[in-house]
Amino acid sequence: MEDKSIEIKKDITNIFNKVSAVFDGSGPRYFTYFGERLVEFADVKEGERVLDVASGKGASLFSAAEKVGKSGVVTGIDIAEGMVNEIDLEMQRRGVKNVHAMVMDAEKLEFANQTFQHILCGFGVFFLPNYKVAFHEFMRVLKSGGRFSFTTFLRKKDEKFMWLNELFDKYLPVFEDELDEYQSEDIPEFDTEEGLYKILNQAGFKNIQVISEEKVFIYKDEQEWWDKLWTHGAISTLEKIPKDMLEDFKSEVFEKLREMKEAGGIPHTKSVLYAFGEKL
Ligand SMILES: C[S@@+](CC[C@H](N)C(=O)[O-])C[C@H]1O[C@@H](n2cnc3c(N)ncnc32)[C@H](O)[C@@H]1O
């Protein structure tokens, strides 16, 4: 179990190190959009101390840094060194002084008890093999009255994109799903409102709220949509397609995208859940 979890984290680290330079850097920047919305919903205020877990390139981090101002501080942690390096570069570019970023595992936080008023985590919780350990850590490092706010993708997918799963099924070799086997005792429902209430409740959070949002993003053309697909976690699936079949897969994807293209471009709806819990 412990070994399996180490293996999963190694794979995740490799994936995000690979995409760190291009992550959310092209097409509609939806991670940035949802990251900034998360900070608004979390109600981060001037002077506060904020921890951004699984910070990526800082979709929430830089927005939180603006809110806390000079008298506050925002610390970003990510398991992928490439992401942390990207944050360092962006910090220099923006000249911000109230941000720190470091490589750290969300399940082993190296902070004292009761350090932060807020913990943020944009699209990170579903990567944690031992999420209960991580949530326990979040509770430990939050001050009393502190809030944990995070986003996940809603189970409901854009119906106009159902063909994508069918294409993946067609082109992916059949694997035994080891992750399902590993999690079979306790599969957390991070993709439903009920699931998030239950998870936060079991972790001891109070005053729980879950809000959903549907947002349409427009891609200018097929190439932009395709390029974006290679900039985030989806590459773990794409890389499983045998190399000699990738061109055929791409042609079928482009054909489907052309069918759904409108005058302004290709619309793609993202459905997201924002969840909040308080440590009393
Ligand atoms: C989809 S990205 C989201 C990044 C950012 N929060 C955003 O919204 O743009 C997920 C991030 O989680 C990080 N991550 C995954 N497992 C982690 C862990 N155990 N500890 C810390 N970070 C982790 C990945 O390296 C990646 O940067």
Side-chain angles (χ1 to χ4, degrees):
M1 181 97 162
E2 177 67 12
D3 284 355
K4 189 73 204 167
S5 143
I6 292 170
E7 210 181 290
I8 291 170
K9 286 190 207 175
K10 255 192 208 156
D11 288 347
I12 290 167
T13 307
N14 286 340
I15 289 163
F16 285 102
N17 273 333
K18 259 189 205 171
V19 297
S20 58
V22 289
F23 185 79
D24 214 28
S26 62
R29 290 172 171 75
Y30 56 82
F31 284 104
T32 305
Y33 170 82
F34 291 119
E36 290 175 356
R37 295 276 286 164
L38 177 63
V39 174
E40 275 170 39
F41 282 128
D43 200 19
V44 172
K45 294 198 178 69
E46 201 171 334
E48 289 186 321
R49 234 181 137 166
V50 178
L51 174 65
D52 184 19
V53 170
S55 49
K57 278 169 93 163
S60 299
L61 183 98
F62 289 106
S63 173
E66 273 176 35
K67 295 264 187 209
V68 300
K70 284 189 184 132
S71 56
V73 63
V74 184
T75 304
I77 64 138
D78 200 287
I79 204 162
E81 193 182 5
M83 290 297 199
V84 173
N85 292 342
E86 289 294 323
I87 287 186
D88 284 341
L89 287 174
E90 188 61 18
M91 268 163 57
Q92 286 165 27
R93 204 184 62 76
R94 294 182 187 224
V96 288
K97 302 251 185 296
N98 59 349
V99 166
H100 306 285
M102 55 195 89
V103 176
M104 201 184 290
D105 182 350
E107 295 174 4
K108 281 188 208 137
L109 296 182
E110 296 157 32
F111 304 107
N113 296 352
Q114 307 232 17
T115 304
F116 301 98
Q117 273 105 354
H118 283 277
I119 295 183
L120 309 172
C121 183
F123 307 107
V125 289
F126 40 75
F127 289 114
L128 306 172
N130 308 301
Y131 76 95
K132 285 184 182 169
V133 174
F135 277 45
H136 190 264
E137 281 289 83
F138 301 163
M139 213 34 146
R140 181 181 69 74
V141 302
L142 268 178
K143 289 178 186 287
S144 298
R147 268 160 66 89
F148 172 37
S149 310
F150 63 96
T151 45
T152 66
F153 292 109
L154 188 66
R155 184 172 296 173
K156 179 173 168 268
K157 299 275 183 296
D158 186 339
E159 279 172 16
K160 293 187 189 131
F161 276 86
M162 289 308 177
W163 53 262
L164 187 59
N165 290 341
E166 287 158 23
L167 279 186
F168 275 132
D169 284 347
K170 178 173 167 187
Y171 282 90
L172 283 173
V174 181
F175 289 108
E176 270 188 37
D177 200 334
E178 291 169 357
L179 189 63
D180 278 354
E181 193 186 302
Y182 168 66
Q183 292 189 331
S184 60
E185 298 151 33
D186 177 21
I187 301 169
E189 257 190 35
F190 283 120
D191 55 359
T192 67
E193 291 196 25
E194 306 73 51
L196 293 185
Y197 271 106
K198 193 173 152 201
I199 288 164
L200 281 168
N201 193 29
Q202 280 177 348
F205 287 96
K206 305 291 177 203
N207 298 325
I208 299 165
Q209 293 171 56
V210 182
I211 297 167
S212 64
E213 183 184 7
E214 264 189 19
K215 169 91 181 156
V216 181
F217 295 92
I218 308 287
Y219 291 81
K220 79 174 190 291
D221 55 26
E222 299 88 311
Q223 192 64 47
E224 187 174 83
W225 190 94
W226 174 258
D227 290 344
K228 182 82 176 182
L229 199 58
W230 293 82
T231 64
H232 52 81
I235 66 155
S236 69
T237 310
L238 291 165
E239 286 185 344
K240 289 183 183 123
I241 297 176
K243 289 215 164 25
D244 58 344
M245 292 168 84
L246 199 55
E247 269 311 306
D248 290 345
F249 173 73
K250 184 178 172 186
S251 303
E252 289 208 49
V253 167
F254 273 51
E255 203 180 305
K256 290 285 182 192
L257 291 173
R258 267 192 296 276
E259 282 169 20
M260 55 192 292
K261 201 167 174 182
E262 298 175 4
I266 300 162
H268 196 159
T269 305
K270 294 272 174 211
S271 302
V272 160
L273 291 169
Y274 298 85
F276 312 91
E278 192 176 333
K279 173 181 173 177
L280 289 187

